[in-house]
Amino acid sequence: MSTVTIEPLLRYLRRERPLCRCRTKILKPSSLNFSPKLLSNGANTSFCNFKPRRPHIIRASSTDTALLETFKSTDGFFKETFPLTLTQMVEGKIFIRLDKDQNQQCWQLSVGCSLPGKWILHWGVSYVDDVGSEWDQPPKSMRPPGSVCIKDYAMETPLKKSSDGEIFHEVKINLDPKSSIAAINFVLKDEETGAWYQHRGRDFKMPLVDYLRNDGKVAGAKRGFNLWSGFFLPKMLFKAKELPSNDQGSSSESKGATQENRQVEGFYEEHPIAKQVVIQNSATVSVTKCPKTAKNLLYLETDLPGKVVVHWGVCRDDAKNWEIPAGPYPPETTVFKNKALRTPLQPKDGGNGCSGLFTLDQEFVGFLFVLKLNEDTWLKCKKNDFHIPLSSSGSLPAQPGQGQSEGALVSEKTVEANQEVSQTASSKGIINDIRNLVNGISSRRRTKKKEAQESILHEIEKLAAEAYSIFRNSIPTFVSESEPQETPKICSGTGTGFEILLQGFNWESHKSGRWYMELKEKAVEISSLGFNVIWLPPPTESVSPEGYMPKDLYNLNSRYGSIDELKHLVKSLHEVGLKVLGDAVLNHRCAHFQNQNGVWNIFGGRLNWDERAIVADDPHFQGRGNKSSGDNFHAAPNIDHSQDFVRKDLKEWLCWLRDEIGYDGWRLDFARGFWGGYVKDYIDATEPYFAVGEYWDSLSYTCGEMDHNQDAHRQRIIDWINATNGTAGAFDVTTKGILHSALERCEYWRLSDKKGKPPGVVGWWPSRAVTFIENHDTGSTQGHWRFPSGKEMQGYAYILTHPGTPAVFYDHIFSHYQSEIASLISIRNRNKVHCRSTVKITKAERDVYAAIIDEKVAMKMGPGHYEPPRESQSWSVAIEAKDYKVWEAS
C-alpha cells in the first residue's frame, strides 16, 4: 500500500534528532475496486500506456486582494469548521546491538525501538545440539526482569524506556559465553495495536556461535543459523580462535582435524519499522455576499501542511450534480476533464496553512469540493463530497458532532468515478493492445517459432485477466443461487454443499514428530463430532518445520511424519467417512543451490528447475521468468506459473498426490500470489472433490476504525474466485474481520450490509465462501489476528448456522468448547443447513444480531434481547449459552 511523506503533521513527535517521519496511508475506496496495474504508466504495465491530457491553465482575471478585503468587511451567512482526520504512518527503527557490558565481562544483546508504544519482545533460543526445535525457553539466568513464560518454548519481555536519547524503548539480555546457545530468535510485538514486526516476514534470528573445522565442515550436530540464508541479521563480526589441543600426543584423528571456534565479536544493526497514528487537522469554510456585485464570496482555509489543491465545482439543486461555473477563477486554476476545476490554495502569512477565495454567481445553490494532497491522496467528507450552501436558505451540510465531516483518504479514481468520467480511452487502449498482440501472432507464424507465439498468447491471457478485473470491479458481483436438490451435483467449488470442515493441525503440531499417528488415533472421534472434511498440514519436505517453505515437492517425509504414516492416516480418515484436503503450497518454493551470484534460485530433486521458474519482479531471487501475476511472498522464490513447464510439472505432482496419497481436494496457500486462472488449470487437471484458496489481505479502515462497508474487500476475494471460474471457494476473511469488530466493540449492526444481507463473501456468493474464525496463522501460538477472547462461541454460533461452508479450528474443537461446537454442528446437520441456505436478518442493532435460516433455524448473538416471531410457527430452544441462543422450528 503506497504512502507519501507529510512530515509537519507530527510536530508532537519531533525531537532534537528526529528518529521518525510520517507518511499518509492511501486507503483504497470501499465501494469500488480499481486495478492500478493496468491504468498506471509505471513499470508494472507491459502494454497499456495512457497519457494524461495536458491541463488547460486559466489565468485569474482579477486580484484577490480587493476581494479578500471585501470579504473581511462583510458579515457572512455561513461558516463551519470541518475536522480532517488523517491516518499517518510513522517510520522509525528497530535497533539490535551485541556488545560487552560495562564491566567487559559478559556479552549483552540489546533490542530497541525508536517509536513510542507498548513494546514486547517475544523471544526464544536454539541450542547447538538441538535438532528438533527452532524455539526453546532460555535459561533463567538470561531472562530480564519482567519476563513471562509463553508455554514451553518462548518468553515475552517488555521493552522499557531508555535514557539513551536515540532509543525510546529497549531491553537488554545478558549472554553466557560458556553456554551452548547457538542463536536467539525473536519478533517484536506492539501491545497497543496487536501488530507483530518481523524481518522480511520471518522471525529475527541472531547466531551467537559458528563451530567450524579447519576444512570448513560443520563440527556440531546442528548449524541451524545457516539453514535460513537471507534471514539472519547481516553485518555479523566473527572472531576466529583456534582451540588448543588438550593432548599433544593424541591419536592421528585429533591431529588431522583441528577445530576452529568462530564467535560473534559484536555488531550493530538497524531495521525499518512503521506504525499508524492519527493526526487531526481542519478546514474552515465561510460564505458571504459581495455588496457591490451581489455575488457569493467563499473563503476556504486549512491548517494542512504542504501543497493543497481544491478540486471543485458548483451545483444548481440538491441533486448536487457537478458543473463548472463561469470565470473569473482564482490564480493557477486548471480545468480537469471538463468536469471540475482545480485550484491550489495559497500559503497564509506566517506559513501556518493555506487558503483560497472563490467568487460564485447567485444562480448556484451549492459549492462542491474535495481536497487533494497529492496525486493519490484526497480528503472527502465521510466518503462524500463536501457541500457548502450558497444561500442562507440552502440545505445545511452535516451537523458538527455527528461525525459527518471527518476527512477520509480516497483514491483519485473514486473522484473520477463519482463524476462519471468516461472510460472510453482506457477501453480503446486495452482493445488496441490485444489487437496488436494478435497481429504479432499472425506475423510470427511465418517464423514457425512456437516459443514466440506462446509468449504472446500468455501476454494476451494476462492482459485479458487484468481487463476483466478492471471492468468487473466497477460493478459488485452478486450471484443468484438456488437451493440444492436433496442429491446435489458435486463440484470442486462447493463439494455437495453440506460440508463441515475441520482444520486438522495448529502451528505447533510438527513438534511431536508423529502428528500423523496422533491424528489417526482421533479419526473416529472427529467423524463422530459431525465433520465430513478435514484439512491436513503441508506434506512436503520444508525448510521451515511447519511445512510452508517447501523444497523437494516429491519428498513427503516431513516433521509431521513419514510418507507411509501419511498414507495410513488418509486411509483411516476415509474409513470413517472423512474427505481429506491436502495443503498445497504452489506460490513459492525454496531452492537447493545458489547460482553464480550466490543467490538461492536453483532447484533440486525431481523438479530441478532453474531461474526461469522464478518470477522476474521478485527482487530477492534474480528470476528470469515473466512478471508475477499476483503479490510476491518475499521469504522464498515466487514461482512463475505462466511457464508451461512449471504448470505441467505442478499438475503432474498434484495428480501424483491424489493417486499416491489419496487426497480428495486442496487447500491452496497464499492464493494472492498467482492468478486464479492458473488455479482453474490445476483443478481441471486433478478434479478434486473440494478446493479452497487462502486469499487474505487487509480490510478497509478509516482512522484506525474498521469501515462498515467492506464491499471492496469481499469484491477482491470474489474476483479471485471468478478467475478460477468458480472451481474453488475462498476463505471468507471479510466475515472474520467484521465479526472481530462487531464482537469486540458490541456493534452487532455491522453484521448486516446496506441491503440487509450478510456483509462478507457469504452475503454475495455463499456457496464459495468458507467461513472461519481462527486458523494456524491468526490464532495458535502465532496469534497474528486472534479472534476476540471469550467470544469464540458467538463466532461459531454465526458460521455454523449460516450459509457458506464452515471451518472449525483444531485448537477449539479439542478444548472446553467441544460440547458446544458439537451441538451447533448437530443442529446444522439435523436441519440440513447448507452452503446455499437462505438467511433473513431480523435484527442488527448495537447489542444484538438475529437471523432466521431456511425458516428452520433461528439464532441470536449479543447481550441484547431477541425472540423469533411465533405468528407462523413455533420455536424450541436448541442451545443457549453466554451471549448466544439458537432455536429450531418445531
Side-chain angles (χ1 to χ4, degrees), residues 458-515:
H458 285 316
E459 294 296 345
I460 291 177
E461 187 179 56
K462 291 181 183 178
L463 193 62
E466 291 176 357
Y468 171 83
S469 177
I470 290 172
F471 295 130
R472 185 161 194 88
N473 287 342
S474 63
I475 302 176
T477 301
F478 298 93
V479 181
S480 176
E481 299 189 307
S482 58
E483 292 189 21
Q485 304 299 317
E486 289 299 318
T487 55
K489 179 182 177 181
I490 297 176
C491 78
S492 57
T494 62
T496 64
F498 294 94
E499 279 65 33
I500 301 176
L501 171 65
L502 172 66
Q503 178 175 357
F505 64 99
N506 62 27
W507 193 247
E508 304 297 316
S509 296
H510 65 90
K511 288 190 172 180
S512 70
R514 56 183 305 275
W515 184 250

Side-chain angles (χ1 to χ4, degrees), residues 345-364:
L345 296 181
Q346 302 302 313
K348 297 170 66 176
D349 294 339
N352 185 19
C354 50
S355 62
L357 185 64
F358 303 81
T359 304
L360 306 164
D361 290 334
Q362 295 184 72
E363 60 185 297
F364 302 112

